[in-house]
Amino acid sequence: MKIADLYEKNKTVLSFEIFPPKKDSELKNIDATLEILCEQKPDFISVTFGAGGSSNCNRTIELAKKIKYDYKVEPVVHLTCLSYDRGEIDEFSKLLKGEGIENILALRGDRNPNIPEKSDFSHASDLVGYLKETADFCIAGACYPECHPESENRVSEMKNLKRKVDAGAQVLLSQLFFDNECFYRFEEDCRIAGIDVPVIPGIMPVINAAQIKRMVTMCGASFPTRFQKIIHKFEGKKEALFDAGMSYALSQIIELLTNNVQGIHLYTMNNPVVAGRICQGIKNILL
């Protein structure tokens, strides 16, 4: 199933993101996590993809196959392009199609000084357009409610996002954020810019202080005062911070659902306890 079709139905779409183990030998150990995640009945699960090397691609595809065929949940494979040329992308496309995988999250990928960049794809929109011309995938794109860290300004951000959608992105999955007002403003900007595809909020429950500091630094998400107080109050108490972080994420999700978002994309960090707690908290709300 192509995930764009899910958003045409009269229901709120629930999706998760997970990442493949770093070693091939650890793939079999992911089943304990997948069993609990899939018990929550997500509509799809996206699988991250590392840059620079076929082993990263292989682990991503093996995990996607496991999700699709062993657990009967639709996978979405992340595909980065900054370190690949057209021939390599063609090979990935052929491999995915051969495995019956229909959905791709097309990304530029993070710059890494240890991995050389190639010239065929400078932006995610380049990859989206190329895949649209050469393959028959449902293509999702990433979006940043508070702007990509490399964006010049809000105007250029929206122009680039519109270019990605015009190139063929059918769904937009957002980077994490901790202030729902940022998402609402962003969603309105999308509509003003003529972006009419589903824009889906991405939520990451924060369960330790180091995680929040790392996330804020990496993606530039604002850190609301209310959330700062929670972290400061409980950062020395592991169990208390876990509960507080989960409660904050749940409050975000419930408010988003109240405001009729088309879906929730949950960054699980491969933690089934987190996903289970969130799903338990919204089981009677998710319509």
Side-chain angles (χ1 to χ4, degrees), residues 40 48 63 68 129 142 168 198 212 229 276:
Q40 312 308 320
T48 65
L63 183 50
K68 185 177 181 72
I212 179 67
K229 289 180 178 179

Side-chain angles (χ1 to χ4, degrees), residues 49-284:
F49 179 92
S54 60
S55 61
N56 292 302
C57 174
N58 291 340
R59 284 193 289 272
T60 295
I61 293 174
E62 287 304 310
L63 183 50
K65 286 166 54 182
K66 183 183 284 286
I67 291 166
K68 185 177 181 72
Y69 296 111
D70 294 354
Y71 293 93
K72 312 304 180 186
V73 175
E74 199 62 39
V76 175
V77 169
H78 293 212
L79 182 59
T80 63
C81 63
L82 197 60
S83 302
Y84 299 104
D85 59 30
R86 288 185 179 88
E88 289 169 308
I89 293 298
D90 289 342
E91 285 299 313
F92 294 150
S93 293
K94 183 178 178 181
L95 185 55
L96 292 172
K97 274 299 182 185
E99 300 295 352
I101 294 168
E102 300 181 89
N103 301 283
I104 285 177
L105 176 57
L107 305 162
R108 186 198 70 179
D110 295 330
R111 289 197 160 91
N112 185 330
N114 299 315
I115 299 174
E117 297 177 13
K118 296 186 179 179
S119 59
D120 285 355
F121 305 99
S122 299
H123 307 283
S125 56
D126 300 330
L127 176 61
V128 172
Y130 185 72
L131 290 171
K132 204 67 179 175
E133 291 175 0
T134 59
D136 183 31
F137 295 106
C138 175
I139 305 171
C143 60
Y144 292 75
E146 299 176 77
C147 286
H148 190 283
E150 296 178 22
S151 286
E152 295 177 20
N153 52 50
R154 189 73 164 187
V155 173
S156 66
E157 176 79 7
M158 299 312 299
K159 286 181 177 178
N160 290 333
L161 188 59
K162 181 67 162 61
R163 189 175 298 117
K164 187 185 298 185
V165 171
D166 288 346
Q170 297 165 265
V171 178
L172 296 175
L173 301 177
S174 95
Q175 179 59 272
L176 63 91
F177 58 91
F178 303 110
D179 183 347
N180 284 1
E181 290 301 319
C182 292
F183 179 80
Y184 300 141
R185 288 193 295 270
F186 171 72
E187 191 175 34
E188 182 178 7
D189 287 345
C190 286
R191 302 317 175 205
I192 292 170
I195 295 169
D196 58 1
V197 301
V199 179
I200 309 306
I203 299 296
M204 177 181 284
V206 173
I207 55 176
N208 64 70
Q211 180 190 14
I212 179 67
K213 292 170 185 175
R214 183 172 65 254
M215 289 301 103
V216 170
T217 300
M218 284 179 60
C219 66
S222 60
F223 197 8
T225 301
R226 181 167 74 93
F227 200 21
Q228 290 184 42
K229 289 180 178 179
I230 289 172
I231 300 299
H232 180 71
K233 175 75 173 178
F234 299 113
E235 65 180 334
K237 303 173 182 177
K238 182 179 178 180
E239 292 81 6
L241 182 57
F242 181 91
D243 287 346
M246 294 298 296
S247 295
Y248 188 88
L250 266 172
S251 70
Q252 273 193 276
I253 292 169
I254 290 168
E255 188 196 22
L256 288 163
L257 293 173
T258 301
N259 283 277
N260 299 316
V261 295
Q262 290 180 267
I264 297 292
H265 190 58
L266 188 66
Y267 294 101
T268 70
M269 302 300 291
N270 287 28
N271 189 326
V273 176
V274 167
R277 180 83 71 89
I278 291 290
C279 291
Q280 180 66 24
I282 61 173
K283 68 177 182 178
N284 297 318

Side-chain angles (χ1 to χ4, degrees), residues 3 14-19 34 37-38 42-47 63-64 67 71 73-78 265 268:
I3 65 166
L14 175 67
S15 55
F16 298 151
E17 178 185 288
I18 64 172
F19 53 84
L34 283 176
L37 289 179
C38 292
D43 293 286
F44 67 87
I45 297 177
S46 71
V47 186
L63 183 50
I67 291 166
Y71 293 93
V73 175
E74 199 62 39
V76 175
V77 169
H78 293 212
H265 190 58
T268 70

